[in-house]
Amino acid sequence: MSERECMEFDVVIVGAGPAGLSAAIRLMQLGSESGNELNICVVEKGSEVGAHILSGAILEPTALNELFPDWRDRGAPVRTAVTRDDVYFLADEQKATKVPGLFVPAPMHNEGNYIISLGELCRWLGDQAEALGVNIFPGFAELKARYTIFSEGCRGSLGKELMQKFELRQNSDPQHYGIGIKEIWAIDSAKHQEGLVVHTAGWPLDNKTEGGGFLYHAGGDQVYVGYIVALNYSNPHLHPFKEFQRWKQHPKIRQYLEGGERVSYGARAVNKGGLQSLPKLSFPGGVLAGCEAGFLNGAKIKGSHTAMKTGMLAAEGIFTALQSEQPDDTSGNYEQRVKDSWVWTELHQARNFGPAQHKFGNLLGAAFIWLDQNVFRGKLPFTLHNTDPDHEALVPADKAQQINYPPPDGKISFDLLSSVFLSSTNHEENQPVHLKLADSTVPIEKNLPLYDEPAQRYCPAGVYEIVEEGGVKRFQINAQNCVHCKTCDIKDPEQNITWTVPEGAGGPNYPGM
């Protein structure tokens, strides 16, 4: 057999998100400052940088200030400063109570932050990286490097394998997740309030189900509208996409959207385990950075700044390691660098946020979080834990309450397939299905009778269906619809579905998420 074409680099970075691109930029900065020429490569599964990026997003500019103090002069797409925070508790489909600022957990205040498109920021970071000499490959040959930074984002497929192979989760709680669903709307300029940030808790979810909505007034008469449902929900009849659609019908949200036009749709899993769920961060030849490891700060509902900073710390550690001819399994003491940074301090202060919601429920949990964050500033002398994996949370379908979702009106709420169309999702035809079943009998023989096969509902892209032909039911996978959210890999109760990277840079093509 002929040898495969191979390209060699000093460092390969997997994933062109905020962590990976920040790592690439920081490595090139360090190389330039020291006179060392580095050969750095970033590989990206999307068709281009930013194509698969989806986030709320409100940016805390701490890490960006450190990476590029002159980011304003460089034209970074960070322009819409937050002007006001409104937090509401929705009691039912009509009532809303505004939470006084005094009773909002301190980390949720957004003074000094910006409403951004994270996809646009990543495209800009990609331009900065390429200007410094970084190679960015959306499609790539076999690559070799002395060190690899894995920054695939939440529930990365390679990261998942690495955690198993190197037993990186031995001393941590299970990671916990939410599914975030987002739309971009162009609204009436008379209703638009640039810089306004709205968050909601309560309806339509019950007190035992974690989640909430957001509405961010970006520039250009656009609003970013989204909903997050924690994936430790117990009712298999729950349909996160439909929860989002009926949430938009609440008068407090509908008032902004009425008469507007929905222009984009997407979905992505988010980490919410926090400090206790972080795995070991380094292993022979590589490190985990950003949401690959789970650095999102749940109390702030933000992870871009921590992703960027951990990418920069990974770069600094690996740059140190590259100075030695001997392999360094710690990658320049990367894990200790993280523990010595403001990222660790921030996550430590927020460590009880997620476990408190799980332990006490939404209302008592909110009271505990306010006390923890506003009075004790995250310094209570104990640490709560959530050791229950999300996929084990479902109760049998016959013991769970049915949920009657209203039909979409085509103006504020929409059906699933028209939504997926707006994500511009595309996969090459005739390629192998990238959603793998360990046992093809499980969906029909186990999940259907016990849980009414929840994949039909938890997937926000209509990938999974139960189809009946000639009186025989079968499990159908519409892989071409997949928006790469990873929810199936997380929530399947038998852990029978494995998400893998499709061929040909397939998936969504988000224009401004």
Side-chain angles (χ1 to χ4, degrees), residues 54 178-182 214 226-229 266-270 460 485 487:
L54 185 146
I179 172 63
I181 304 172
K182 176 184 173 183
F214 63 86
Y227 204 77
I228 296 176
V229 177
R268 187 70 171 92
V270 295
C485 74
T487 303

Side-chain angles (χ1 to χ4, degrees), residues 58 80-85 110-115 194-197:
I58 293 178
T80 305
V82 174
T83 56
R84 192 172 91 235
D85 278 300
N110 283 294
E111 295 89 349
N113 297 334
Y114 294 82
I115 299 170
E194 185 169 317
L196 173 62
V197 167

Side-chain angles (χ1 to χ4, degrees), residues 390-463:
D390 291 349
H391 68 270
E392 294 181 359
L394 290 178
V395 301
D398 61 3
K399 291 181 171 55
Q401 183 177 359
Q402 291 282 347
I403 304 175
N404 295 317
Y405 292 104
D409 63 11
K411 297 177 182 178
I412 301 295
S413 55
F414 300 89
D415 67 278
L416 194 55
L417 293 183
S418 69
S419 301
V420 176
F421 176 78
L422 287 180
S423 71
S424 300
T425 295
N426 183 58
H427 293 86
E428 288 187 358
E429 295 183 6
N430 303 318
Q431 65 172 281
V433 173
H434 66 280
L435 301 155
K436 310 293 186 184
L437 299 181
D439 184 341
S440 61
T441 69
V442 163
I444 300 299
E445 294 185 7
K446 289 187 177 181
N447 287 350
L448 185 60
L450 191 55
Y451 304 112
D452 192 26
E453 185 43 84
Q456 301 175 91
R457 293 172 292 281
Y458 61 59
C459 173
V463 170

